């Protein structure tokens, strides 16, 4: 990996074995963007990549020069109001009301490693030789403001990370009204935009649209990254498939309001900007203050969508997720939510835990309802001490008993929220986010604590850390069940109210940072009414995330398939739950429920004591199976094969291959039974052509090339259907195959 700086041409070239990223200091001393994509050999000058054609009827920077118009130039971090008419990367409002700026190149630094971003999650290096960082310092002399653009290139990945920092060195108060994390101008618009959109219980469906002139975007202004839109977009060529062709992926390491926007101009130049949503955003910088944007991750792959996803997965697994569970084994858990909801006591919990232990499950998670006087969702959020009526021996008593059984114990919390019916609210009614004189809207009977205030975060920290210190707790599920309304903090002056959303998320991150550093042995799982805050910001603190409240195996095919576009398999919280399923009422075989959940963190969420002995035995076998293969599933390379979003969506399949290519696990799912099915094969991916693979549990052997180019012969569901128990449905069949290279 290299970062070249050509003094004469004033060009920067960031290059590794996979990608090149090229920047030029233009003649106005601002930064032009020359190239991002597949690696280019280094050469003396790349200036010709700018391709400017003088055009009539545009505004130009210098008198007498009709060529130099920012409207015609591809830029690195564009401003508005000085000849570029597209939406900019940033805007600084000055005391006189002007938003016109001129940031010119001053200096740069190239160094090994990667800096931490103050108070924000980001990717990291473990030693300095893994990455190189370029900081380009620009200055607007009139207002005495510095702008630092920070780029990191990793040696191992086709990735550039970017962020920006603004420093007010002048005397006047400056207000950032837009501060995106990244901006890139691509020379053409022959792309499709892929994004992950949805809602509660159907998060991260894959959506695809052809770029058109004008603006297309996904965003959130809910105070959370949201179930509706994920802070991820990809630009792919129309001919790019899962396995071939070019694709650029953009992901924001941030959990609050975001904008991911693509603007195609009249010349078919495509501008991608990504960062904190400028809507209702403002940040005042007093003299001497600075503002750091979140980090954007930009991935390039010429190996299709699978290639792009594999880069995100590997980077996030190794250099975003932190702590002992990054590489450590994730326990198989049982969660009592769908088993009991709020209706439990110690006896009932211990009964479930005992059976879980017998079946080999490793961690018991006590969900909502254990604290204050909470028996439904109308009370007690904020009162983080045990409900003695349900748990007479407290959390410690229960946790001790479960730990004595040989299981770990985990707990649900929702630290950002409060119910009006709580001691916390009675004592601090002014601690919620609320606008003066206005009615406060609720969501699920609850209100959002003002995490932009340090005293609020400190108070919650004290309560939560006390429980964690007192009881043997190995896991925390951190939930967040509503979005922010009436965005206003009574602790901030009127002119700083547009800072509330970002300050809120910084407060969330600060609590996460304190708890994860003080309790490094606790595994955190993030959650937000299902997958309403499944983003890389959260993964920095919590290595896994509850993917969706929709636990139906068939619904999960789409949700997990879509989530895998950007997020690693070992971050995807997945449980086997009861039937009829609580979200859709569907009855699926227990085998299929597990076959889907295996491709995630894996656990259970049902009352095991209501199952038949036959079902319990199946669970025992599933747990055994997962323990055997979890290392492969969580650390191997994931490939999507058949998409539930394509065709009639009846077939989904995916697989994971070990790093040494000697082992693979394949999941194959058929939604509805089909009559008179023909001979079926599944073309596998990522195997070695040299190895002869045996299908575990059978005597069949095939070489890797046969499996990839001719296909794995599939069991005939049609025949299985004919032989099935009359009481079972023939729909929702699935099969998991394991293959191993013969020694
Ligand atoms: C929403 C979560 O997604 C569920 O798993 C569960 O924890 C409930 N909240 C509890 O209120």
């Amino acid at each position: 990996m290299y970062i070249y700086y050509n003094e004469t041409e004033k060009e920067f070239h960031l290059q590794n074995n996979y990608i090149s990223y090229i920047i030029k200091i233009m003649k106005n001393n601002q930064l032009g963007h020359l190239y991002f994509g597949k690696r280019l050999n280094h050469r003396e000058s790349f200036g010709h990549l700018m391709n400017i054609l003088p055009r009539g009827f545009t505004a130009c920077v210098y008198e007498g020069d009709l060529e130099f118009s920012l409207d015609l130039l591809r830029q690195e971090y564009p401003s508005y109001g000085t000849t570029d008419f597209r939406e900019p990367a940033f805007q600084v409002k000055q005391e006189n009301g002007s938003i016109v700026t001129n940031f010119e190149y001053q200096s740069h630094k190239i160094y090994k490693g990667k800096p931490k971003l103050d108070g924000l999650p980001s990717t990291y290096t473990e030693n300095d030789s893994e990455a190189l960082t370029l900081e380009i310092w620009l200055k607007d002399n009139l207002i005495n403001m510095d702008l630092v653009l920070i780029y990191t290139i990793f040696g191992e990945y086709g990735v550039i990370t970017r962020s920006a920092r603004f420093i007010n060195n002048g005397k006047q108060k400056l207000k950032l009204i837009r501060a995106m994390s990244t901006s890139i101008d691509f020379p053409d618009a022959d792309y499709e935009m892929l994004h992950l959109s949805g809602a509660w219980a159907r998060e991260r469906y894959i959506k695809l649209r052809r770029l058109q002139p004008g603006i297309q975007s996904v965003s959130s202004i809910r105070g959370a990254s949201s179930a509706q839109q994920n802070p991820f977009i990809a630009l792919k060529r129309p001919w790019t498939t899962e396995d071939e062709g070019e694709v650029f992926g953009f992901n924001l390491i941030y959990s609050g309001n975001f904008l991911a926007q693509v603007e195609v101009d009249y010349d078919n130049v495509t501008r991608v900007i990504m960062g904190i949503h400028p809507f209702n955003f403002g940040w005042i910088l007093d003299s001497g203050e600075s503002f750091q944007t979140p980090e954007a991750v930009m991935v390039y792959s010429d190996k299709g969508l699978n290639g792009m996803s594999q880069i995100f997965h590997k980077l996030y697994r190794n250099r975003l997720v932190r702590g002992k569970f990054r590489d450590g084994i994730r326990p198989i858990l049982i969660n009592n939510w769908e088993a009991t909801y709020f209706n439990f006591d110690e006896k009932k919990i211990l009964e479930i835990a005992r059976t879980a232990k017998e079946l080999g499950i490793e961690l018991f998670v006590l969900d909502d309802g254990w604290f204050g006087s909470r028996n439904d969702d109308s009370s007690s959020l904020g009162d983080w001490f045990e409900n003695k009526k349900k748990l007479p021996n407290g959390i410690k008593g229960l946790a001790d008993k479960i730990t004595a059984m040989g299981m770990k114990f985990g707990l649900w919390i929702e630290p950002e929220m409060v119910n009006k019916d709580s001691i916390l609210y009675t004592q601090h009614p002014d601690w919620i986010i609320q606008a003066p004189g206005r009615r406060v809207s609720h969501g699920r009977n609850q209100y959002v604590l003002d995490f932009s205030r340090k005293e609020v975060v400190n108070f919650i920290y004290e309560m939560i850390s006390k429980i964690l210190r007192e009881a043997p707790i190995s896991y925390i599920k951190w939930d967040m069940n509503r979005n922010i309304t009436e965005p206003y903090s009574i602790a901030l002056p009127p002119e700083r109210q547009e800072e509330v959303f970002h300050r809120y998320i910084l407060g969330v991150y600060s609590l996460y940072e304190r708890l994860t550093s003080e309790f490094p042995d606790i595994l955190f799982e993030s959650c937000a009414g299902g997958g309403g805050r499944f983003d890389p910001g959260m993964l920095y603190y919590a290595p896994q995330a509850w993917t969706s409240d929709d636990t139906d195996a068939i619904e999960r095919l789409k949700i997990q398939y879509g989530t895998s576009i950007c997020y690693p398999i070992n971050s995807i919280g997945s449980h086997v739950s009861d039937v009829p399923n609580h979200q859709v009422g569907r009855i699926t075989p227990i085998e299929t429920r597990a076959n889907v959940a295996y491709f995630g963190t894996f656990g259970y969420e049902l009352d095991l004591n209501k199952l038949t002995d036959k079902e319990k035995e199946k669970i025992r076998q599933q747990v055994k199976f997962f323990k055997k293969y979890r290392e492969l599933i969580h650390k191997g390379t994931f490939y999507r094969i058949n998409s539930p979003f394509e065709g009639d969506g009846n077939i989904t399949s995916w697989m994971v291959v070990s790093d040494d290519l000697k082992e693979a696990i394949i999941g194959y799912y058929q939604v509805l039974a089909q009559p008179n099915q023909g001979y079926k094969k599944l073309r596998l991916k990522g195997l070695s052509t040299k190895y002869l693979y045996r299908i575990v549990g059978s005597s069949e052997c095939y070489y890797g090339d046969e499996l990839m180019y001719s296909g794995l012969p599939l069991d005939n569901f049609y025949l299985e259907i004919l032989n099935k128990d009359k009481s079972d449905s023939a729909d929702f069949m699935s099969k998991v195959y394991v293959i191993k290279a013969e020694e």
Side-chain angles (χ1 to χ4, degrees):
M1 117 203 89
Y2 296 93
I3 298 182
Y4 301 94
Y5 177 59
N6 180 333
E7 187 90 52
T8 329
E9 295 295 327
K10 298 190 173 165
E11 288 173 9
F12 298 94
H13 181 189
L14 294 80
Q15 182 204 53
N16 67 17
N17 287 337
Y18 316 100
I19 54 169
S20 280
Y21 191 100
I22 308 172
I23 303 164
K24 184 177 183 69
I25 304 169
M26 301 187 293
K27 76 177 190 195
N28 65 348
N29 263 334
Q30 295 183 0
L31 297 182
H33 176 75
L34 293 188
Y35 179 82
F36 175 38
K38 196 174 168 83
R39 178 189 198 275
L40 300 180
N41 285 325
H42 186 61
R43 56 181 288 175
E44 274 314 295
S45 167
F46 287 104
H48 52 281
L49 295 179
M50 193 54 100
N51 306 325
I52 333 172
L53 269 183
R55 302 284 290 268
F57 298 102
T58 189
C60 302
V61 176
Y62 302 112
E63 278 185 35
D65 179 349
L66 292 181
E67 268 189 21
F68 199 78
S69 164
L70 297 177
D71 208 25
L72 304 176
L73 290 161
R74 281 182 284 124
Q75 293 162 79
E76 217 24 61
Y77 199 67
S79 60
Y80 170 76
T82 55
T83 75
D84 188 340
F85 298 102
R86 293 163 288 186
E87 290 207 352
F90 71 97
Q91 279 189 298
V92 184
K93 194 157 193 175
Q94 298 137 54
E95 278 180 355
N96 63 5
S98 163
I99 45 83
V100 177
T101 50
N102 177 30
F103 281 93
E104 295 190 21
Y105 171 83
Q106 294 293 304
S107 62
H108 68 268
K109 285 189 229 168
I110 295 171
Y111 52 87
K112 287 185 176 167
K114 186 169 188 296
K116 269 187 121 165
L117 303 185
D118 226 15
L120 284 166
S122 64
T123 55
Y124 59 87
T125 51
E126 280 204 327
N127 64 64
D128 281 352
S129 60
E130 292 176 8
L132 285 173
T133 295
L134 165 67
E135 284 186 12
I136 306 183
W137 286 67
L138 304 126
K139 189 176 208 71
D140 184 322
N141 279 319
L142 187 66
I143 54 175
N144 202 359
M145 180 176 234
D146 284 332
L147 164 60
V148 191
L149 299 183
I150 308 160
Y151 302 80
T152 297
I153 183 163
F154 287 85
E156 281 294 300
Y157 309 94
V159 171
I160 300 277
T161 62
R162 274 188 69 173
S163 70
R165 188 163 73 243
F166 292 84
I167 309 160
N168 181 4
N169 294 312
K171 294 215 164 51
Q172 61 171 307
K173 218 180 231 198
L174 297 171
K175 186 172 187 180
L176 281 174
I177 53 173
R178 172 185 279 251
M180 306 307 283
S181 298
T182 190
S183 174
I184 290 209
D185 290 346
F186 289 98
D188 71 273
D190 205 1
Y191 291 105
E192 288 171 337
M193 168 170 148
L194 183 152
H195 49 103
L196 304 174
S197 305
W200 174 79
R202 48 179 172 82
E203 294 90 343
R204 288 170 298 285
Y205 279 17
I206 297 176
K207 300 285 171 189
L208 204 58
R209 46 173 133 159
R210 187 73 194 233
L211 290 190
Q212 296 293 342
I215 285 176
Q216 37 255 290
S217 68
V218 291
S219 62
S220 167
I221 50 173
R222 296 169 168 269
S225 49
S226 90
Q228 285 70 15
Q229 305 290 357
N230 196 262
F232 168 85
I233 55 168
L235 292 189
K236 66 182 264 304
R237 296 294 185 187
W239 51 91
T240 294
T241 63
E242 277 287 6
D243 304 298
E244 282 170 353
E246 284 198 312
V247 53
F248 296 87
F250 300 85
N251 196 203
L252 189 66
I253 307 186
Y254 191 59
S255 312
N257 291 350
F258 76 90
L259 172 67
Q261 176 173 299
V262 184
E263 178 171 1
V264 177
D265 77 2
Y266 61 93
D267 249 347
N268 282 332
V269 169
T270 298
R271 173 169 295 173
V272 177
I273 55 174
M274 180 176 251
I276 295 177
H277 204 310
F279 174 80
N280 205 37
F281 167 79
W283 197 274
I284 290 177
L285 290 177
D286 283 326
S287 178
E289 286 182 344
S290 61
F291 181 85
Q292 170 65 53
T293 73
E295 176 169 301
V297 179
M298 308 189 298
V299 166
Y300 167 81
S301 166
D302 60 351
K303 298 192 171 53
L305 292 169
N306 270 321
M308 175 198 70
S309 303
Q310 287 161 6
I311 297 171
F312 275 116
H313 292 183
K314 213 166 160 198
L315 177 73
Y316 287 177
R317 259 178 12 220
N318 298 324
R319 293 296 177 261
L320 175 68
V321 167
R322 301 173 302 165
K324 99 174 203 195
F325 289 96
R326 183 188 74 180
D327 305 321
I329 281 178
R330 306 289 173 79
I332 301 177
L333 66 80
I334 176 138
N335 178 305
N336 72 307
W337 180 241
E338 287 197 13
T340 66
Y341 295 104
F342 295 103
N343 183 17
F344 61 84
D345 55 19
E346 188 183 277
K347 185 168 166 276
K348 200 159 173 183
I349 293 301
L350 288 173
E351 278 166 11
I352 300 177
R354 232 169 261 125
T355 313
K357 171 67 193 162
E358 261 169 49
L359 300 181
I361 295 171
E362 299 157 311
L363 163 70
F364 184 90
V365 178
L366 184 61
D367 210 278
D368 195 353
W370 59 266
F371 49 91
S373 48
R374 187 153 166 104
N375 289 314
D376 56 39
D377 63 18
S378 68
S379 88
S380 302
L381 289 172
D383 295 345
W384 299 111
F385 46 83
E386 57 261 336
N387 178 337
K388 288 268 178 165
K389 280 196 190 133
K390 286 181 178 174
L391 305 173
N393 302 304
I395 286 295
K396 165 131 174 61
L398 177 64
D400 280 343
K401 284 183 192 153
I402 289 184
T403 316
M405 288 176 195
M407 274 183 109
K408 304 266 187 211
F409 179 77
L411 203 59
W412 177 97
I413 54 172
E414 193 176 1
E416 298 155 66
M417 300 291 157
V418 68
N419 289 112
K420 282 195 176 168
D421 181 3
S422 67
I423 299 169
L424 177 66
Y425 183 80
T426 316
Q427 290 174 351
H428 300 285
D430 57 331
W431 276 9
I432 62 174
I433 291 193
Q434 54 188 315
R438 301 287 172 195
R439 189 185 51 236
V440 197
S441 316
H442 72 99
R444 208 191 185 207
N445 302 309
Q446 64 194 51
Y447 300 85
V448 185
L449 285 171
D450 186 351
F451 263 44
S452 73
R453 294 168 68 172
K454 285 213 164 59
E455 66 275 27
V456 177
V457 176
N458 285 344
F459 188 89
I460 297 294
Y461 162 78
E462 291 300 339
M463 272 199 286
I464 303 283
S465 58
K466 182 167 181 287
I467 311 163
L468 300 184
R469 268 181 230 120
E470 284 172 2
I473 292 172
S474 311
Y475 162 106
I476 282 289
K477 176 177 173 187
W478 177 322
D479 204 348
M480 191 288 290
N481 281 299
R482 64 156 293 189
N483 292 140
I484 294 175
T485 53
E486 293 82 33
Y488 191 97
S489 170
I490 56 176
L492 285 174
E495 68 276 15
R496 287 195 180 268
Q497 289 304 325
E498 287 143 328
E499 298 177 12
V500 171
F501 277 113
H502 184 55
R503 285 186 185 274
Y504 176 86
I505 285 294
L506 293 180
V508 172
Y509 289 154
S510 73
L511 183 58
Y512 254 120
E513 186 64 41
R514 279 167 90 174
L515 293 175
T516 50
S517 20
E518 188 174 335
F519 303 99
D521 293 335
I522 294 183
L523 170 62
F524 282 76
E525 176 155 344
S526 75
C527 174
R533 209 164 54 181
F534 201 128
D535 59 59
M538 284 291 129
L539 288 184
Y540 181 72
Y541 304 100
Q544 52 194 59
W546 183 227
T547 313
S548 176
D549 277 346
D550 196 337
T551 54
D552 172 68
I554 300 306
E555 294 297 310
R556 275 297 185 119
L557 291 174
K558 282 189 176 153
I559 296 167
Q560 292 178 204
Y561 196 96
T563 304
S564 80
I565 286 280
C566 186
Y567 303 104
I569 301 312
N570 71 351
S571 69
I572 298 180
S574 53
H575 300 167
V576 172
S577 64
D578 204 2
V579 287
N581 176 268
H582 293 195
Q583 289 71 37
V584 291
R586 186 177 284 132
I587 298 178
T588 53
I590 196 157
E591 290 81 359
T592 291
R593 280 176 271 156
N595 286 347
V596 177
Y598 289 147
F599 293 85
T601 58
F602 196 64
Y604 290 83
E605 188 162 336
L606 74 178
D607 189 346
L608 296 171
N609 295 321
K610 292 192 177 139
L611 301 182
T612 62
D613 286 346
K614 202 170 152 198
E615 284 169 322
K616 281 192 227 162
E617 187 47 37
K618 284 185 184 171
I619 290 184
R620 192 193 309 281
Q621 295 312 322
Q622 291 171 353
V623 167
K624 216 165 130 192
F625 177 85
F626 190 73
K627 284 180 182 166
K628 196 161 170 193
Y629 295 112
R630 65 180 148 193
E631 191 96 6
L632 163 65
I633 295 172
H634 287 175
K635 296 190 178 157
T637 307
F638 181 78
Y639 291 86
R640 290 174 297 271
I641 309 179
N642 289 107
S643 170
F645 298 101
E646 282 170 17
D648 62 5
N650 207 42
I651 301 293
T652 298
S653 63
W654 49 46
M655 65 183 287
V656 185
V657 184
S658 64
D659 281 350
D660 63 5
L661 310 187
K662 290 194 165 162
E663 216 178 356
I665 181 161
I666 301 112
Y668 182 84
Y669 314 89
Q670 174 177 285
V671 179
L672 294 181
Q674 289 177 334
N676 193 13
Q677 290 195 10
Y679 184 64
K680 284 207 169 157
K681 279 185 159 189
L682 180 67
R683 284 166 65 141
L684 304 186
K685 301 181 179 180
L687 302 175
S688 164
T689 52
K690 290 193 304 240
Y691 294 138
L692 180 66
Y693 293 92
R694 188 172 49 78
I695 300 176
V696 172
S698 98
S699 54
E700 287 171 61
C701 282
Y702 305 94
Y703 278 99
D705 50 4
E706 287 173 65
L707 290 170
M708 291 192 289
Y709 314 137
S710 169
L712 168 77
L714 292 171
D715 294 346
N716 196 323
F717 285 148
Y718 180 63
L719 296 179
E720 280 184 34
I721 290 160
L722 296 181
N723 297 330
K724 245 177 153 291
D725 253 352
K726 289 260 180 329
S727 58
D728 283 345
S729 163
D731 294 332
F732 320 127
M733 301 280 275
S734 68
K735 184 95 190 180
V736 164
Y737 301 87
V738 177
I739 58 172
K740 278 194 176 155
E742 294 278 84
E743 290 305 327

